[in-house]
Amino acid sequence: MKPDLFQAPDYYLLDELLSDEHKMVRDAAREWVKREVSPIIEDYAQKAEFPKQIINGLAEIGAFGPYIPEEYGGAGLDQISYGLIMQEIERGDSGVRSTASVQSSLVMYPIWKYGNEEQRMKYLPKLASGEFMGCFGLTEPDFGSNPGGMVTNFKDKGDHYLLNGAKMWISNAPFADIAVVWAKDEAGRIHGLIVERGMEGFTTPETHNKWSLRASATGELIFDNVKVPKENLLPNKSGLGAPLGCLDSARYGIAWGAIGAAMDCYDTALRYAQERIQFDKPIAATQLQQKKLAEMITEITKAQLLTWRLGVLRNEGKATSAQISMAKRNNVDMAINIAREARQILGGMGITGEYSIMRHMMNLESVITYEGTHDIHLLITGMDITGHAAFK
């Protein structure tokens, strides 16, 4: 088992822009990842298994709903703290960050923002502590980039709702205790429903044979005449804007998380290039390898500045969905390109599980697609600057 020697790059001294609390939160997450994730993650990725024993640790470092108010069990932190936690977790593994992102932004966020006080008190403290794990049901077999076309629906049966349909590509589904599910009512309006494990007709088959996010549990949500109590409807927002608001929060976290994956690949490649001797000198002394490394740190630095500014805007309530899309698209693209270049610096060693790079590269192939594909985020920016929607 190799020691985790990671040293975070900060070429433009961005730490000077962070508060003491930001740095304390980040450093606690960083040390936890080094101690609890790095030593085991390669084995779990090889086994295609999520390490459930880390759930309590994720809760302890505030990874579940860090911005949720303390009265509901959250840490009451700001958006930059949330981003920094996601950065450090994804430095360990994108799949582990996915678990935390889903719990925070796609389960706790809608209950906090769209739920009533009874729902908040019932679910949020248990989700914050990791006693409950949640998942988010939006994507369907035939509707991904066009979620408004969903066919999952519910009917009013007097004292309950009857839910039918299916969702797929759902992180945390195989072990989730609750699911925040988006479905259409009889008038075609989209609402959020809290579906609990154990409700008759609700099943969560696991998705196997993934080459990406192998240390993350992915599955389907199947609803076959599921009776959902009426008090489980999220009452305070409906329409497509409700789930998209959750996605804004998740995409923001991904923008930070992707920097973590990129930093890990860069740090690994830099250390390897300084130690690997060819033609009587370290390969770090050659022009082509310096070009790769210099471009990596440049792109990481640009992404850090972009995302820090986005965090400030989020804290001020000024960040737009289009700005979040730009950061998600840019940073994940940056990270996947750095992973590919870093793999080349390591040569054949880059494909082995002895190093993290190939795992990051495979994971990022999912991250660049989920929560809005690379192309869809480009069109969101295009629509924002031109005023014309080009989605269809």
Side-chain angles (χ1 to χ4, degrees):
M1 186 181 297
K2 295 184 68 171
D4 185 342
L5 302 174
F6 174 72
Q7 292 184 305
D10 185 12
Y11 202 72
Y12 263 40
L13 307 182
L14 264 77
D15 266 22
E16 295 180 5
L17 298 173
L18 303 178
S19 69
D20 289 342
E21 182 179 64
H22 292 149
K23 287 181 277 193
M24 181 181 69
V25 167
R26 180 200 61 196
D27 292 348
R30 182 172 295 167
E31 288 306 310
W32 179 81
V33 168
K34 285 192 173 192
R35 186 176 66 250
E36 303 293 338
V37 178
S38 299
I40 66 169
I41 198 63
E42 300 296 347
D43 286 341
Y44 276 86
Q46 291 284 359
K47 293 187 294 185
E49 182 181 335
F50 174 72
K52 290 184 182 177
Q53 69 270 24
I54 69 172
I55 287 175
N56 287 341
L58 284 166
E60 287 168 7
I61 64 168
F64 296 151
Y67 49 78
I68 299 292
E70 292 182 53
E71 64 192 282
Y72 302 121
L77 299 172
D78 73 352
Q79 290 292 304
I80 291 176
S81 292
Y82 168 52
L84 288 165
I85 294 171
M86 295 302 105
Q87 171 187 285
E88 295 305 314
I89 295 174
E90 188 145 0
R91 204 279 298 176
D93 187 75
S94 300
V96 177
R97 197 268 310 140
S98 293
T99 295
S101 279
V102 167
Q103 185 88 336
S104 298
S105 291
L106 302 182
V107 181
M108 297 178 73
Y109 180 90
I111 293 173
W112 173 45
K113 285 291 189 181
Y114 311 149
N116 56 35
E117 193 63 15
E118 182 181 347
Q119 292 166 339
R120 294 183 193 117
M121 295 307 298
K122 179 179 180 180
Y123 295 108
L124 291 178
K126 290 183 177 180
L127 289 162
S129 70
E131 180 182 346
F132 278 6
M133 294 300 294
C135 64
F136 175 87
L138 181 64
T139 299
E140 297 189 358
D142 293 322
F143 294 96
S145 294
N146 175 26
M150 70 174 66
V151 295
T152 298
N153 66 90
F154 65 96
K155 292 180 170 57
D156 190 331
K157 293 298 183 180
D159 62 345
H160 65 273
Y161 298 119
L162 199 63
L163 178 65
N164 281 282
K167 306 289 183 176
M168 71 183 304
W169 304 123
I170 310 301
S171 294
N172 301 356
F175 58 76
D177 300 288
I178 67 169
V180 173
V181 178
W182 301 94
K184 289 180 177 176
D185 64 14
E186 289 159 283
R189 183 77 175 171
I190 294 171
H191 295 265
L193 298 158
I194 301 171
V195 181
E196 300 179 22
R197 186 170 295 281
M199 289 182 175
E200 188 175 353
F202 174 42
T203 55
T204 58
E206 187 164 1
T207 302
H208 297 289
N209 298 323
K210 297 182 300 177
W211 287 113
S212 181
L213 297 181
R214 289 174 59 81
S216 174
T218 309
E220 300 174 58
L221 304 177
I222 309 296
F223 313 106
D224 182 9
N225 288 323
V226 179
K227 292 181 179 179
V228 180
K230 287 199 165 180
E231 61 264 28
N232 284 29
L233 181 85
L234 297 176
N236 292 332
K237 192 172 177 66
S238 63
L240 189 57
L244 293 183
C246 306
L247 291 176
D248 273 353
S249 182
R251 290 164 175 171
Y252 168 75
I254 290 169
W256 281 93
I259 296 173
M263 291 195 304
D264 195 60
C265 292
Y266 165 78
D267 181 65
T268 302
L270 176 61
R271 186 174 297 108
Y272 186 90
Q274 291 168 330
E275 297 171 354
R276 175 70 168 168
I277 306 297
Q278 291 290 287
F279 305 108
D280 302 320
K281 64 181 180 181
I283 62 173
T286 64
Q287 289 185 358
L288 286 176
Q289 305 313 318
Q290 287 191 10
K291 176 180 184 292
K292 291 184 177 73
L293 292 164
E295 288 176 343
M296 286 182 200
I297 190 60
T298 302
E299 293 306 313
I300 288 170
T301 301
K302 287 156 63 176
Q304 288 173 319
L305 288 163
L306 177 72
T307 314
W308 172 80
R309 177 59 185 160
L310 184 61
V312 172
L313 292 173
R314 287 277 289 177
N315 280 340
E316 295 174 351
K318 295 177 182 176
T320 66
S321 297
Q323 287 169 336
I324 294 167
S325 281
M326 177 184 282
K328 190 271 185 181
R329 180 182 183 273
N330 178 82
N331 291 10
V332 181
D333 185 59
M334 172 275 299
I336 203 166
N337 287 329
I338 284 177
R340 290 166 180 160
E341 289 290 280
R343 207 290 304 159
Q344 289 206 58
I345 290 175
L346 268 67
M349 292 305 296
I351 71 164
T352 72
E354 186 175 351
Y355 296 92
S356 61
I357 293 172
M358 196 71 180
R359 175 171 50 81
H360 282 306
M361 190 192 306
M362 293 191 298
N363 286 342
L364 289 163
E365 289 290 350
S366 289
V367 181
I368 206 167
T369 294
Y370 71 24
E371 314 278 355
T373 68
H374 188 67
D375 292 343
I376 287 293
H377 284 299
L378 188 73
L379 294 180
I380 290 171
T381 303
M383 179 176 67
D384 193 51
I385 61 177
T386 68
H388 298 284
F391 298 103
K392 56 185 178 179

